[in-house]
Amino acid sequence: MDNSLPPADELALVDRELARLDAHRSQLLARRAWLLRVLYAPAASTAPGPFPPAPGPRPTASGPRPTASGPRPPVADSTPRSAQNVLLTLGGTLLTIAAIAFTLVSWGSMGIGGRSVVLFVVTSAALAAPVALLRRSLVSTAESVAALGLVLMVLDAYALHRVALPEADGLGYTAVAAAVLAGAWTAYGSALSRLRIPLPVAVVAGQLPLPLGVLAAGGGPTVFAWAALVTAAADGAVILWTRPAAVRITAAVGATALGGWALLTGGWLSLTSPWSGAPLLLAAAALTLYVARRLPTLAVAASAVAGLAAVAAAGGLLRPAVPTDWTVPVYVLCGLALASVWRLSPAGDGAAEETGRRLPGGVRLGLAGAGGGVAALGVVWALPPVAVGLLGPMARTTEVWSGEHAGRALTSYPGTAVLVLAVAAAVLVAVPRLWARCGALALVWALLTALPVSLGLPYATTLTLQLLTTAAALGCAVRPGPMARGLRRPEPAEGRGTPEPEPSPAAPAAPAAPGAPWGAWAPSRPRPQAPATEPGTVLGWIAYAGGLASAVSAVALALDVREATFATLGALLVLLVGVAALGAGARRVVAACAAVLTATGLVVAVAAAGGFEDHWTALAVLLVPAATAAVGAKARPVALPVEITGAVVALPAFALAASRPAFLALALALGGVIAAATAVRPERRRFASWTAAVLFLLATWVRLAVWEVTTPEAYTLPVTVPALVVGFLRRRRDREASSWTAYGPGLAATLLPSLVAAWTDPEWPRPLALGVAALVVTLLGARFRLQALLVLGGSVLALDGLHELAPYVVQAVGALPRWLPPALAGLLLLAVGATYEQRLRDARRLRDRVARMR
């Protein structure tokens, strides 16, 4: 056989054609399904049920379109938002109001026979009319008339009580009437299944008989709660074994309200009368758990409620048998016992799998969540000792080294708080999840922090325990240890992280039905999987945060005793240096900075113990920046943070020396020396050199102020000369550098303060010297075409000359006739106006020349 194409190319062509035909067939099938839905939508709209009919096409002006099977059937009057429904609702409401008014107002003017006839005729007609209306598919009209009939039945019951049974108890009669009406409405709604009102109304009436009957019989809160629970159980049966959505929703609302009342009553009774509340709570838990197993959508919430009820019942029975301090631990143990239900996993041997089938995953999750929630509340109850142990030493009311906390123990709390923390930590350790191990680590730290407060330990023991806690936490931060072992990495949620297969190029995705969103046609793309969290990193940061918090608390507690202060600061300095040397990443940096602050505290403590004055203490504190500069030259990974921390430490040193200006100048000069020594290193040269220059300048200014020098040039020339030298060197390296960048700051530092001083100086030497200097600067700017020198020098020269000529100008103006200055001003304006174009060109030419300067 002779083919025009090679076999491989022809095969690819055939595959493409088949794919195109498959896509076209899929499109035609989707269109056919849409057409069938449009054609059969009117017939489905008249079908009974709680769900609204599918939307159909809009009717056209030509009337209903014929279909393949014949003409379209007539549309029933059940459109939910039509004007007809509004009219029917208003009519039914008015008839109901009229019936109520007739019963309450006009009832007494008729005899017993007339009353009976009227009630029987009107009620019978209202209940029988929907039968005929439904046969003609007038559903909305039937609903309105049926609602009127239901209201009339309530009025009949009221009228019967007023006429025939006036001596009957109101609550008892209402309970019986509600039961009768509920049964009658249930039968009526079942017979006329297309009506949606009777059955939900029957459910509402069914909520009343038992509770009202208990109240009529004089039952107490316990009996009333049992009646509410039985009614809620009946509502649960309705939810499980009926189909109409409106009936199920109404029953769910009633079950929630009455069941919640029963649970609240049971919880209150478990605190006041445990043996009365426990059966109620257990019965409610059993019913709720049964509903959770039958309704998977409510499994988690319903089983959580059941779990809370069971814990409340068990804890209420055990609470009277233990001391008061053990009340919360008892509830925590009950909650943990309930949370162990989660271990009943459907994985393992056959028995375990059978247990897993009897207890679905949603039920296990809800029960475990309820138990875990109770345990979490117990942990919250145990947190006050932790807060006192951590923050108590910081609430100082006396001076340092006064022994405020050394002579007494901190506020005592029940020892069972520590027990709750220990049990919760032990339970979380057994859970192979990252969040559980993190919580266990935090609880262990909280346990060690709360232990001195709960047991009332003495000062030395408390301080030692805090230092040990700090050491253990920082050690865990460096090496997480066994806490991070055996953890399961977080798995992606179902449907996430797993790439979906890409559609084949030969088989494009089938188009969606008309009216569907465009996104439905696009093939799904694989979602990127989030990177798993490293367990050691998270655990390390939690331990690190706890260690730093304990360190701060230990320092605050150690400030009570001098020897304890030195011992604590020294121990913390060793620990932090160890973490900075052995750790990694950000924890290493934070430890190095904390070590600098600890060393600063140690230096201040030594100065305070030696009785140093503030200015001597300031000089001693400068040893820390000097040490950080030396360390930064070798400790490359933490050099910059350590040096920045040392520079920050120098600021309070300068503040301490501010009371003695001479020592402040010395401290600033020493700071400049340290910065200059740091500037020797190439990577620090730029910033450290400027810092050194600023510190030396400030030291010079302070020394001049001590010498009572008031001449501004003495303060500005030390800035101007180095700045001009630096600018000159920069211009030599970079000819394109602007003169404003090179010389502007240096010149402005001297010229502008001198100009201000010259305007307030009555003598002539300063203005003369300033004018000469400004003239030299202006000439240099014109000679070397430097814009900054020309503008600054010329401006200062003009203002200085104006200052010198101002008295003579004022004197001359005062000697002239008063009409002469305005006249001269007018002539000047006329001259400028006459030569405006030329002056404008001259100004532009001058601007361009100045702009071409560097």
Side-chain angles (χ1 to χ4, degrees), residues 728-782:
F728 177 74
L729 295 177
R730 180 175 181 180
R731 288 275 296 178
R732 288 187 61 181
R733 288 197 312 269
D734 184 11
R735 289 293 181 181
E736 298 298 325
S738 172
S739 61
W740 286 101
T741 304
Y743 304 117
L747 292 175
T750 294
L751 292 178
L752 298 182
S754 298
L755 179 62
V756 174
W759 271 77
T760 58
D761 191 353
E763 303 296 332
W764 60 270
R766 183 189 300 276
L768 178 60
L770 178 61
V772 173
L775 178 61
V776 172
V777 171
T778 304
L779 294 177
L780 290 175

Side-chain angles (χ1 to χ4, degrees), residues 254-342:
T256 302
L258 295 176
W261 179 265
L263 287 173
L264 292 177
T265 305
W268 174 70
L269 290 174
S270 69
L271 299 177
T272 58
S273 178
W275 291 101
S276 299
L280 181 62
L281 289 173
L282 293 176
L287 291 175
T288 309
L289 193 61
Y290 180 78
V291 173
R293 295 190 59 183
R294 293 295 303 272
L295 296 178
T297 57
L298 301 177
V300 176
S303 57
V305 173
L308 292 176
V311 171
L317 292 176
L318 297 176
R319 181 178 51 82
V322 298
T324 305
D325 294 345
W326 287 83
T327 300
V328 175
V330 163
Y331 281 98
V332 170
L333 292 176
C334 294
L336 292 177
L338 180 64
S340 64
V341 174
W342 180 254

Side-chain angles (χ1 to χ4, degrees), residues 113-527:
R115 301 172 190 173
S116 303
V117 171
V118 170
L119 281 176
F120 178 78
V121 171
V122 174
T123 304
S124 300
L127 295 176
V131 178
L133 293 173
L134 288 176
R135 292 177 180 174
R136 303 191 59 179
S137 298
L138 299 176
V139 181
S140 296
T141 307
E143 294 279 3
S144 301
V145 178
L148 176 62
L150 300 182
V151 174
L152 289 175
M153 293 181 70
V154 176
L155 296 179
D156 291 343
Y158 169 75
L160 180 63
H161 178 263
R162 289 290 304 273
V163 175
L165 302 170
E167 295 83 7
D169 178 65
L171 288 176
Y173 179 80
T174 305
V176 175
V180 173
L181 290 177
W185 291 342
T186 302
Y188 185 73
S190 301
L192 302 178
S193 58
R194 295 176 65 183
L195 295 178
R196 292 176 293 180
I197 293 179
L199 290 179
V201 175
V203 173
V204 173
Q207 312 301 310
L208 302 178
L210 283 180
L212 293 182
V214 169
L215 293 178
T222 305
V223 182
F224 183 83
W226 277 105
L229 183 61
V230 172
T231 306
D235 290 332
V238 172
I239 296 173
L240 295 175
W241 294 314
T242 57
R243 296 186 60 184
V247 176
R248 301 175 66 184
I249 292 174
T250 306
V253 173
T256 302
L258 295 176
W261 179 265
L263 287 173
L264 292 177
T265 305
W268 174 70
L269 290 174
S270 69
L271 299 177
T272 58
S273 178
W275 291 101
S276 299
L280 181 62
L281 289 173
L282 293 176
L287 291 175
T288 309
L289 193 61
Y290 180 78
V291 173
R293 295 190 59 183
R294 293 295 303 272
L295 296 178
T297 57
L298 301 177
V300 176
S303 57
V305 173
L308 292 176
V311 171
L317 292 176
L318 297 176
R319 181 178 51 82
V322 298
T324 305
D325 294 345
W326 287 83
T327 300
V328 175
V330 163
Y331 281 98
V332 170
L333 292 176
C334 294
L336 292 177
L338 180 64
S340 64
V341 174
W342 180 254
R343 303 294 295 177
L344 299 177
S345 175
D349 54 9
E353 293 180 359
E354 181 63 25
T355 304
R357 284 194 293 269
R358 290 201 306 268
L359 202 61
V363 175
R364 290 190 295 115
L365 179 60
L367 293 176
V374 173
L377 291 177
V379 171
V380 172
W381 171 81
L383 289 182
V386 181
V388 173
L390 183 65
L391 304 177
M394 301 179 189
R396 181 173 302 281
T397 58
T398 59
E399 296 180 355
V400 176
W401 296 343
S402 62
E404 178 183 0
H405 299 294
R408 60 181 176 84
L410 295 177
T411 305
S412 178
Y413 279 82
T416 52
V418 179
L419 177 62
V420 169
L421 294 175
V423 171
V427 170
L428 290 180
V429 166
V431 179
R433 291 290 187 273
L434 178 59
W435 62 267
R437 296 292 172 85
C438 294
L441 186 59
L443 288 177
V444 170
W445 171 83
L447 169 64
L448 296 176
T449 304
L451 195 61
V453 179
S454 298
L455 302 182
L457 299 179
Y459 175 81
T461 307
T462 300
L463 183 58
T464 303
L465 183 59
Q466 285 190 343
L467 290 177
L468 292 176
T469 303
T470 302
L474 294 180
C476 291
V478 177
R479 296 289 184 270
M483 289 290 291
R485 299 173 189 168
L487 290 177
R488 303 177 185 175
R489 290 187 178 272
E491 301 176 356
E494 182 180 357
R496 296 183 180 179
T498 304
E500 298 181 4
E502 291 286 347
S504 173
W518 289 101
W521 290 11
S524 57
R525 298 180 179 178
R527 300 181 180 178

